[in-house]
Amino acid sequence: MTKSQSVLEKTRADAQDLHKKISEKMEKAENATWAEVKATQAEVNDLGHKMKALTDDQADAVKTGIKAAIAKLDAAGELVETKTDAAKDGVKHAHTAMLDSVHKATQSLSAAVASARATVAHAIEPK
Amino acid sequence: MNTYIAVVFPSGEKAHLALRKLWNLDEEGALTVHGAAIVHRDGMGHIRVSERNTDLGMRTAVGVGIGALLGLFAGPIGAAVGALAGGTAGAAADAVKEDQRENTADEAFFTLGHGQSAIVADISENLTSILDEAMQPIGGTVYRRMNTATTNAAFGPYYSNYLYPYYYDPKYN
């Protein structure tokens, strides 16, 4: 496995873990606070930064999906508390946006992983 | 090759075992799983998704998704029935089954019998034999449908909310 492929696989695993974490937070959203949302947003933004760093190495077919996912991560990571919402609704909205953006991130990363694995398989297959 | 797969098993336990095996194959790099879930049809004919315990509030999307997914596997007319059936997954599946009976030319790809469970997944695979050989000892029958613009359009946006992008312990109830 090349270094760029292992970075890609690791980033995908990070995205999957973050997806699980946000899903679990949504279960107890009744008691969640904006402080917790902000902590998760930091992880969402961190994932976005990691994905930006590996975008250039990807095939054109998957690059578009990764860029779209990064845009969603950026948007979810910038959501701020609105005083017009009930606190509970605002937290739920933020969690939903983060889960959706991380879901898109896992999908685009798994597409990139599949593309990288296909390239390796093609390179070693008997001629 | 990007494919939607359905692997049908006689029981939920075997489907669970196979779900773990599917993700193991992903970890080994033998294929790539973009998302997967287990569906079960009970003795009354109702179809349910075996969800994670933590996924409260996602059930409406899941209901629409399973109808659409079963419709996708049944063909274009079934897909429309599934998508229109809203959150009533069991009803959607029954409607699709009825559609299959009335449209024999539109060969049914995937039928879930009473008491059976299936893994439904979106995967990329270079060799179909890898999945086939992994599922066969567990008693699974593998069905495939190419992931194309047409099949994606038929399934709509729901599958992205419905297939889990990682291994999960399914809940049976």
Side-chain angles (χ1 to χ4, degrees), chain B residues 92-107:
Chain B
D94 283 339
V96 169
K97 200 176 176 208
E98 184 67 27
D99 174 70
Q100 288 166 6
R101 282 196 291 270
E102 291 176 358
N103 296 278
T104 50
D106 190 15
E107 187 67 23

Side-chain angles (χ1 to χ4, degrees), chain B residues 37-72:
Chain B
I38 290 179
V39 295
H40 177 71
R41 186 164 205 169
D42 66 21
M44 302 291 287
H46 299 117
I47 293 186
R48 289 191 174 83
V49 178
S50 297
E51 304 169 78
R52 277 165 39 122
N53 286 318
T54 51
D55 291 330
L56 302 173
M58 290 178 67
R59 291 201 174 129
T60 301
V62 166
V64 174
I66 186 64
L69 184 60
L70 294 172
L72 173 70

Side-chain angles (χ1 to χ4, degrees), chain A residues 70-119:
Chain A
I70 291 170
K72 268 190 162 292
L73 289 170
D74 286 347
E78 287 169 6
L79 278 177
V80 292
E81 183 176 9
T82 54
K83 302 297 180 190
T84 52
D85 284 339
K88 194 173 66 178
D89 292 343
V91 167
K92 186 179 177 186
H93 173 67
H95 276 139
T96 303
M98 287 191 289
L99 186 66
D100 185 46
S101 68
V102 174
H103 201 105
K104 293 283 185 296
T106 58
Q107 287 179 323
S108 66
L109 287 165
S110 81
V113 164
S115 174
R117 288 174 177 176
T119 302

